[in-house]
Amino acid sequence: AQSVTQPDIHITVSEGASLELRCNYSYGATPYLFWYVQSPGQGLQLLLKYFSGDTLVQGIKGFEAEFKRSQSSFNLRKPSVHWSDAAEYFCAVAAGSSASKIIFGSGTRLSIRP
Amino acid sequence: ETGVTQTPRHLVMGMTNKKSLKCEQHLGHNAMYWYKQSAKKPLELMFVYNFKEQTENNSVPSRFSPECPNSSHLFLHLHTLQPEDSALYLCASSTTRDRDNEQFFGPGTRLTVL
């Protein structure tokens, strides 16, 4: 069955430090992968998505993610975090052609240390 | 008002009450979604509407009743809820149901069932 695993429930990094959030997926075909961010009191916002082509995907707010088929991973990275990046981050995989088939991970909460 | 709006933002109700959640999108989208976000659980898709027609009901209990009078408005009618229904209810919309189209989320309604 298709699934998404975010192994880290909560991560704290210092402001200005680099960030990597892990995501592993299980899907038989070529996956469509997404990263969303949810700031406190807000809905989810799409950061980036991978459908095909270059395995390094650039997104908004300075984020990028790398698709690694051999590791079934789609980790999110940012070279230098800002206090405003504190939020919950969700990885997702589309298990079909419809948006209704998007499966979300449980999320990783990111805290920023001043 | 732009984007996806939801009202009310917070709702406390007893198990015998009847209430409704409202979602409105000003993006000209044709697909609308209801999601349930519970603590420590992945986002759960509840209902999908496409051009005002319900296309998916993910085994949601009948105490949740959606309504989509037009492509811009989506309601979730609630009656005889249970305490375990307490959660953040998110509305989203997209141009079409295709997974390629970004879903835009509202800020959610925080529901507490006493």
Side-chain angles (χ1 to χ4, degrees):
Chain A
Q2 298 83 10
S3 65
V4 177
T5 301
Q6 293 181 248
D8 303 305
I9 296 174
H10 183 205
I11 284 181
T12 300
V13 300
S14 298
E15 189 167 16
S18 63
L19 170 71
E20 183 168 28
L21 301 181
R22 296 183 292 165
C23 172
N24 293 99
Y25 68 90
S26 172
Y27 185 60
T30 300
Y32 278 39
L33 295 160
F34 310 82
W35 274 101
Y36 285 84
V37 61
Q38 186 177 29
S39 298
Q42 301 295 317
L44 279 68
Q45 180 184 21
L46 182 66
L47 283 176
L48 48 79
K49 59 188 178 184
Y50 170 77
F51 290 166
S52 64
D54 193 345
T55 56
L56 186 62
V57 182
Q58 301 298 319
I60 62 172
K61 305 185 184 211
F63 285 92
E64 66 178 27
E66 186 171 11
F67 170 60
K68 292 186 177 180
R69 183 186 299 274
S70 61
Q71 299 176 22
S72 298
S73 69
F74 188 57
N75 294 349
L76 182 71
R77 301 195 295 247
K78 186 169 185 178
S80 176
V81 298
H82 186 261
W83 63 267
S84 60
D85 293 323
E88 187 107 23
Y89 291 80
F90 296 91
C91 181
V93 62
S97 60
S98 169
S100 63
K101 302 302 181 187
I102 294 176
I103 300 169
F104 289 84
S106 298
T108 297
R109 183 160 65 92
L110 174 65
S111 298
I112 306 297
R113 191 183 301 118
Chain B
E1 194 90 56
T2 59
V4 181
T5 59
Q6 291 187 242
T7 54
R9 293 294 307 275
H10 299 270
L11 178 62
V12 179
M13 59 186 290
M15 289 190 285
T16 57
N17 291 159
K18 289 185 179 181
K19 296 287 184 185
S20 296
L21 309 185
K22 179 182 177 182
C23 174
E24 186 172 1
Q25 56 97 359
H26 307 268
L27 302 168
H29 290 166
N30 297 308
M32 296 189 77
Y33 312 80
W34 278 117
Y35 286 91
K36 177 182 180 182
Q37 187 176 30
S38 305
K40 298 183 173 63
K41 291 178 68 175
L43 206 61
E44 300 172 62
L45 179 66
M46 301 174 72
F47 302 103
V48 181
Y49 277 81
N50 193 46
F51 291 96
K52 303 187 298 178
E53 299 298 320
Q54 183 176 310
T55 57
E56 298 224 13
N57 174 342
N58 279 352
S59 304
V60 180
S62 59
R63 57 185 184 269
F64 295 91
S65 175
E67 178 190 3
C68 189
N70 54 62
S71 291
S72 299
H73 294 85
L74 186 64
F75 295 88
L76 188 63
H77 304 299
L78 316 172
H79 62 98
T80 59
L81 294 192
Q82 305 298 310
E84 59 265 29
D85 297 322
S86 298
L88 182 68
Y89 288 85
L90 293 167
C91 173
S93 70
S94 59
T95 308
T96 70
R97 289 180 300 159
D98 192 273
R99 61 186 170 182
D100 291 358
N101 297 127
E102 178 178 352
Q103 291 187 57
F104 291 79
F105 285 80
T109 295
R110 174 69 62 186
L111 174 66
T112 302
V113 181
L114 301 177

